[in-house]
């Protein structure tokens, strides 16, 4: 019975301070993995409270790379709460950015200078440049990417329209991605909205349009610089099976970040063959 208990509960419950001092906790986190170019995970925060955000950072922060404060929720949040999230994310080395829609609203209202001032003053370390709702010409798109970089921000761009039924044009995506990346974007997100349904790669049931995915793979020379918005589990599984555990995935609901990481590591039935035996050994030994 004693052995059984030991193998079920992480030792942190028995001796948290001893465990931290021994470095065992650090060995289980992904800090080292992050340095080795692990697949990026972006979560979408649509208004988590302070405790929910702190819980998320504690439970899954090691497996998250980017927090998007979704669409226009940032300016509706209490400043104190926003500052807390920005601080917590940055302490963990994560990117944190407002949703691309907020910049689109600023463009529409001719408030781009004010947008950059606020983003920098609040301490965000990234922005998303998108044209999901507005039209944005190539020149302005490039100028916004460069302006972000000039302000010391990482820039993520997004390809695709939010209108239901909008599709991905593989050759247009390839051109957009090439120009965005040349202008300094970190990666290019493929639009699927928060729902993952009826937009871009996904049909009105959320299933992947596999012919479209094949087309993208043919046209885009380096799909490794794409991040796929894939809020639903079966979408994550398909993209993991197509591109492997290093695929970048975004718009992950906060509560699913840890579950996604198990799939990247072959610790869930759906991708059981993934991961290295040595890593599995380390992970299972951690539990003993
Ligand atoms: O484009 C997105 O993924 C999100 C969420 S939704 O489209 O409004 O559902 O918008 P964003 O402005 O990028 O946060």
């Amino acid at each position: 019975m004693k052995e059984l208990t030991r193998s079920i509960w992480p030792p942190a419950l028995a001796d948290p301070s001893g465990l931290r001092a021994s470095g065992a906790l650090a060995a289980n986190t992904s800090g080292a993995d992050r340095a080795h170019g692990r697949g990026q995970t972006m979560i979408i925060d649509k208004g988590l409270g302070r405790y929910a955000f702190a819980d998320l950072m504690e439970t899954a922060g090691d497996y998250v790379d980017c927090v998007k404060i979704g669409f226009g929720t940032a300016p509706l949040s209490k400043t104190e709460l926003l500052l807390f999230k920005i601080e917590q994310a940055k302490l963990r080395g994560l990117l944190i950015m407002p949703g691309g829609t907020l910049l689109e609203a600023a463009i529409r209202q001719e408030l781009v200078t004010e947008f950059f001032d606020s983003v920098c003053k609040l301490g965000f370390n990234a922005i998303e440049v998108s044209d999901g709702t507005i039209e944005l010409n190539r020149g302005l798109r490039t100028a916004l990417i460069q302006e972000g970089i000039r302000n010391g921000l990482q820039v993520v761009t997004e390809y695709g329209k939010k209108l239901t039924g909008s599709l991905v044009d593989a050759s247009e995506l390839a051109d957009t991605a090439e120009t965005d990346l040349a202008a300094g974007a970190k990666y290019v997100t493929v639009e699927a909205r928060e729902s993952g349904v009826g937009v871009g790669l996904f049909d009105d049931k959320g299933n992947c349009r596999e012919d479209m995915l094949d087309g993208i793979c043919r046209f885009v020379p380096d799909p490794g610089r794409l991040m796929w918005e894939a809020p639903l589990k079966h979408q994550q599984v398909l993209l993991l099976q197509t591109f492997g555990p290093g695929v970048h995935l975004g718009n992950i609901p906060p509560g699913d970040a840890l579950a996604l990481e198990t799939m990247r590591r072959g610790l869930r039935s759906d991708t059981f063959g993934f991961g290295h035996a040595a890593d599995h050994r380390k992970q299972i030994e951690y539990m003993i």
Side-chain angles (χ1 to χ4, degrees):
M1 183 61 194
K2 199 163 172 230
E3 277 310 298
L4 187 64
T5 310
R6 262 165 44 80
S7 64
I8 288 173
W9 298 107
L13 291 182
D15 177 17
S17 53
L19 186 71
R20 227 162 256 125
S22 75
L25 276 183
N28 190 50
T29 67
S30 64
D33 299 339
R34 204 170 271 140
H36 288 99
R38 185 174 60 81
Q40 306 278 295
T41 294
M42 177 263 277
I43 57 127
I44 180 167
D45 171 350
K46 299 186 294 170
L48 296 177
R50 172 182 295 259
Y51 297 107
F53 192 84
D55 281 351
L56 170 68
M57 289 296 109
E58 184 185 3
T59 55
D62 290 329
Y63 312 114
V64 169
D65 302 277
C66 178
V67 176
K68 178 167 73 176
I69 306 294
F71 30 95
T73 56
L76 303 187
S77 302
K78 291 203 182 320
T79 307
E80 210 180 280
L81 176 59
L82 207 49
L83 291 172
F84 173 78
K85 292 179 180 181
I86 292 169
E87 185 193 22
Q88 290 301 309
K90 288 188 349 187
L91 272 174
R92 291 182 164 271
L94 313 188
L95 295 185
I96 181 160
M97 63 187 188
T101 304
L102 189 63
L103 176 53
E104 292 186 43
I107 296 165
R108 176 65 64 82
Q109 303 294 328
E110 299 184 6
L111 292 169
V112 172
T113 307
E114 290 80 353
F115 170 86
F116 278 106
D117 286 350
S118 299
V119 161
C120 294
K121 214 187 301 167
L122 286 162
F124 281 107
N125 56 9
I127 55 162
E128 184 182 81
V129 174
S130 61
D131 57 357
T133 307
I134 63 166
E135 292 305 320
L136 189 61
N137 67 52
R138 184 62 254 183
L140 182 52
R141 188 173 171 107
T142 298
L144 290 166
I145 296 169
Q146 290 168 342
E147 184 61 14
I149 293 166
R150 243 193 314 278
N151 279 285
L153 302 162
Q154 298 272 3
V155 179
V156 174
T157 62
E158 185 180 60
Y159 167 87
K161 294 290 180 194
K162 292 189 191 297
L163 204 62
T164 303
S166 62
L167 304 173
V168 176
D169 177 325
S171 120
E172 190 182 68
L173 168 60
D175 287 349
T176 305
E178 190 184 345
T179 315
D180 286 358
L181 294 168
K186 190 175 166 64
Y187 45 80
V188 180
T189 308
V190 183
E191 177 72 84
R193 302 212 61 181
E194 178 226 346
S195 63
V197 169
V199 170
L201 195 56
F202 304 114
D203 67 16
D204 57 4
K205 294 198 168 50
N207 293 320
C208 180
R209 304 180 212 264
E210 300 211 23
D211 52 332
M212 194 176 281
L213 187 58
D214 290 346
I216 296 171
C217 293
R218 271 201 309 278
F219 272 97
V220 179
D222 183 7
R225 300 293 299 276
L226 298 180
M227 170 176 277
W228 307 88
E229 290 187 348
L232 304 178
K233 181 198 160 198
H234 72 273
Q235 300 170 344
Q236 296 156 19
V237 171
L238 181 94
L239 291 163
L240 285 162
Q241 286 167 343
T242 305
F243 295 106
V247 67
H248 307 321
L249 297 173
N251 279 10
I252 304 304
D256 291 349
L258 195 59
L260 168 58
E261 188 65 20
T262 63
M263 295 199 288
R264 288 191 188 281
R265 295 180 183 222
L267 295 172
R268 194 172 185 180
S269 176
D270 312 77
T271 57
F272 204 61
F274 282 10
H276 299 295
D279 291 339
H280 287 169
R281 170 180 282 275
K282 201 167 75 184
Q283 285 152 0
I284 289 165
E285 280 176 353
Y286 165 76
M287 296 293 292
I288 299 170

